[in-house]
Amino acid sequence: MTDISEKTVSENTVTHPAPHRTHAVLNQSVPRTDVNEFLLDTVLAEGVARHDADWATSELTDIGELVGSAGFQHDAELANTVIPELKTFDRWGNRIDEVEYHPSYHRIISAAVAHGAHTSAWADPKPGANVARAAAFMLFSQVEPGHACPISMTHAVIPSLELQPDVAALWNPRALSRSYTPELDAPGKACGPATGRPTRNGAACDPRFR
């Protein structure tokens, strides 16, 4: 009969074989992570300075560090590999017709909004404002292009909204906001600024589409 103490020692000293490596991969570049995508883009950095937006260099440098990080790149991968799921009914049987995105998608679009990649040129118009916004938009969208749709459409919608002052009064402050929330809601209530298509309750603040 095996002694209990001997059995315990035996279980605790079990070793596992090393992974079986079949070959070495030599035809791939090293991972492009934890780099500053703005500082490494000489043409972009020089263009920003040349076209009156050198005042935005500090924030663009922060964005370049963010989008070049391994964490942001992993979020970008998840946003494009975890398929959005259509929720037609809630748990109580009510019709909702919502699309549920992976949280990584919302983290990405939240960061883009926080840095003004959507409407900073409208919120603070000055020389170089459109150049700075375009540079921020480029840095975000070159790593994760899916969220470029609601971000660019929010920038583009401002002139159209201003053609109807009563609508602009409701939507412009929200479109210019740098805060983001993914929840669906009706006009006049808090929701993210991204625009695109009407939601089931008439609001155009559903950012969860590409």
Side-chain angles (χ1 to χ4, degrees):
M1 181 175 180
T2 304
D3 183 76
I4 295 178
S5 60
E6 292 180 357
K7 183 178 180 181
T8 302
V9 170
S10 176
E11 289 177 346
N12 291 338
T13 56
V14 171
T15 58
H16 299 281
H20 182 58
R21 301 186 183 279
T22 60
H23 62 287
V25 180
L26 303 176
N27 64 342
Q28 298 294 313
S29 60
V30 298
R32 185 183 174 88
T33 56
D34 297 323
V35 298
N36 193 304
E37 293 290 0
F38 178 68
L39 296 181
L40 289 177
D41 194 332
T42 303
V43 174
L44 178 62
E46 289 183 354
V48 166
R50 182 178 298 117
H51 296 286
D52 301 322
D54 53 341
W55 50 265
T57 297
S58 178
E59 182 163 18
L60 291 172
T61 300
D62 291 341
I63 295 173
E65 182 177 358
L66 171 63
V67 301
S69 68
F72 189 92
Q73 292 181 21
H74 184 55
D75 271 348
E77 179 182 0
L78 291 173
N80 285 274
T81 55
V82 181
I83 299 174
E85 183 178 356
L86 173 63
K87 302 286 188 178
T88 52
F89 298 92
D90 65 15
R91 58 189 290 190
W92 297 280
N94 299 304
R95 188 68 182 259
I96 56 174
D97 292 332
E98 293 183 6
V99 177
E100 182 176 337
Y101 284 82
H102 191 273
S104 61
Y105 177 78
H106 295 302
R107 287 193 291 269
I108 288 172
I109 197 171
S110 178
V113 168
H115 282 283
H118 59 322
T119 55
S120 62
W122 298 114
D124 186 18
K126 58 184 175 181
N130 278 294
V131 173
R133 189 212 66 85
F137 175 77
M138 173 183 168
L139 289 168
F140 276 104
S141 61
Q142 71 180 359
V143 178
E144 201 297 298
H147 80 292
C149 175
I151 291 296
S152 61
M153 291 175 72
T154 304
H155 167 74
V157 78
I158 298 296
S160 296
L161 290 175
E162 291 179 346
L163 294 176
Q164 190 168 341
D166 58 325
V167 176
L170 174 63
W171 285 104
N172 274 8
R174 306 171 75 196
L176 299 176
S177 170
R178 290 203 181 193
S179 63
Y180 168 85
T181 178
E183 287 78 17
L184 295 171
D185 219 328
K189 295 185 179 180
C191 76
T195 65
R197 61 174 175 78
T199 67
R200 68 182 188 280
N201 54 14
C205 60
D206 179 12
R208 294 176 288 181
F209 62 96
R210 286 187 248 179

